[in-house]
Amino acid sequence: MSAPTASPGPAELYRGMRLIRVFEETALCLVKSGEIVGGIHPYIGQEAVAVGVCAALRADDQLTSTHRGHGHVLAKGADPGRMLAELAGRENGLNRGRGGSMHAADLSLGVLGANGIVGAGAPIAAGAAWAAVRQGLDRVVATFFGDGALNQGVLLESLNLAALWRLPVLFVCENNGYATTLPVEAGVAGSVLGRAAAFGIPAEAVDGMDVEAVRTATERAVARARSGAGPSFLECRTYRFEGHHTMERRVRVNYRTAEEVESWRRRDPLERCDPGAGQRAAIDREIDQLMAEAVEFALSGAHPDPAGALDHLYADGLRPRAGVLT
Ligand SMILES: Cc1ncc(C[n+]2csc(CCOP(=O)(O)OP(=O)(O)O)c2C)c(N)n1
Ligand SMILES: [Mg+2]
């Protein structure tokens, strides 16, 4: 059993969010310059969720993440240089450049993986939580998912098993209002919290633009899970300031108005967090320096040798189709 870690203060919470914000802005630049191939799903605007939840977790707690997962991985403590190298597909990345933006993992930090399949982190979290219980560990597993996952069978199945077996899972729904361009009202019958209620799981909605509120709600859920009382469900009401994917910068889509985006920007979680007198500028400078070093580190990494594309797999004996690696 690991010792509880001291709860981070406002300066640390701000620092965590600022790191994610600048990391994402940097990643957007690297997408534009072609260093990150294939684009990313930016987390800008949602930082308070990742940081608030992870602030209530212990180092040995675990999480599963999503296609919009950079913030979760960083908030759990991943090195920004290695994370950026992963996005840029380099050998010095967290996963030797094989995972990329949507499949970064760091098992040493309990990050069981981002996931390009909507909802797919939930059963992994339930399995990891079940394993922890079997091993007599009092570890908690948080699973992040978007509003778009609310109707995925695997999520509903995971809620059921977690409730039935009282697994120490924290279901964190990041309701940012849209699944790609589909408004939540047009995609979700019933209610978000009703999903959890159907399985007898305690659920609450929280202001996902307020890092302290997210942290406090998570602490309650974590305490419940650790005591053996079972899972909880948090709906964090949040918003992404950027498009669904960087592709959206090039494709004209009109699913939300400029006024709507602006009204959420006025609730910027970084602006709403007071890190303490004189701290903001100092932390901003510190993060700028850290990210400059991260970029240098990431871009110094080699691109993987295509001949090694099938290394580090769980299964042996796979052979590429003729011409795939040449
Ligand atoms: C099972 C599955 N269906 C569809 C997709 C395509 N897809 C990728 S992201 C996305 C929207 C997800 O919306 P949400 O869960 O709300 O997350 P957000 O993008 O808002 O963070 C969809 C439909 C997918 N990756 N996996
Ligand atoms: Mg969404």
Side-chain angles (χ1 to χ4, degrees), residues 60 99 104 114 157 203 270 285 310:
D60 65 320
E157 291 168 38
L270 276 73
R285 271 197 306 277
L310 298 180

Side-chain angles (χ1 to χ4, degrees), residues 17-39:
M17 293 196 290
R18 183 72 190 170
L19 173 63
I20 297 171
R21 175 70 54 95
V22 181
F23 181 95
E24 292 294 64
E25 288 169 353
T26 306
L28 287 174
C29 292
L30 295 183
V31 169
K32 206 167 179 191
S33 68
E35 293 288 358
I36 295 175
V37 179

Side-chain angles (χ1 to χ4, degrees), residues 283-296:
I283 294 172
D284 290 1
R285 271 197 306 277
E286 182 203 331
I287 297 295
D288 285 349
Q289 176 64 29
L290 190 68
M291 280 312 304
E293 289 164 17
V295 171
E296 202 176 321

Side-chain angles (χ1 to χ4, degrees), residues 67-68 116-118 146-149 152 176 178-180 240 244:
H67 56 286
R68 199 177 301 289
I117 302 173
V118 169
D147 46 285
Q152 289 298 107
N176 61 8
Y178 296 92
T180 315
R240 57 171 162 72
H244 169 70

Side-chain angles (χ1 to χ4, degrees), residues 157-272:
E157 291 168 38
S158 304
L159 287 165
N160 184 56
L161 268 191
L164 207 54
W165 295 350
R166 289 200 189 191
L167 299 177
V169 181
L170 173 57
F171 291 91
V172 183
C173 177
E174 294 191 70
N175 182 357
N176 61 8
Y178 296 92
T180 315
T181 57
L182 184 73
V184 65
E185 307 78 46
V188 177
S191 70
V192 177
L193 297 182
R195 298 288 189 280
F199 300 100
I201 297 176
E204 67 174 297
V206 56
D207 180 355
M209 308 301 270
D210 179 343
V211 68
E212 296 273 9
V214 175
R215 190 253 299 267
T216 307
T218 308
E219 280 171 350
R220 282 193 290 273
V222 165
R224 183 181 139 78
R226 243 191 262 296
S227 74
S232 300
F233 185 109
L234 285 185
E235 177 195 359
C236 299
R237 296 192 177 146
T238 183
Y239 201 78
R240 57 171 162 72
F241 295 168
E242 293 288 319
H244 169 70
H245 182 266
T246 37
M247 185 75 83
E248 204 177 301
R249 296 186 149 198
R250 285 187 275 137
V251 184
R252 184 182 275 278
V253 272
N254 291 319
Y255 62 96
R256 54 186 195 172
T257 62
E259 292 73 36
E260 179 183 299
V261 178
E262 192 43 45
S263 73
W264 280 91
R265 277 186 182 275
R266 283 197 290 274
R267 301 177 56 199
D268 189 324
L270 276 73
E271 299 297 325
R272 286 174 71 193

Side-chain angles (χ1 to χ4, degrees), residues 129-137:
W130 180 75
V133 172
R134 297 271 299 182
Q135 291 168 63
L137 303 172

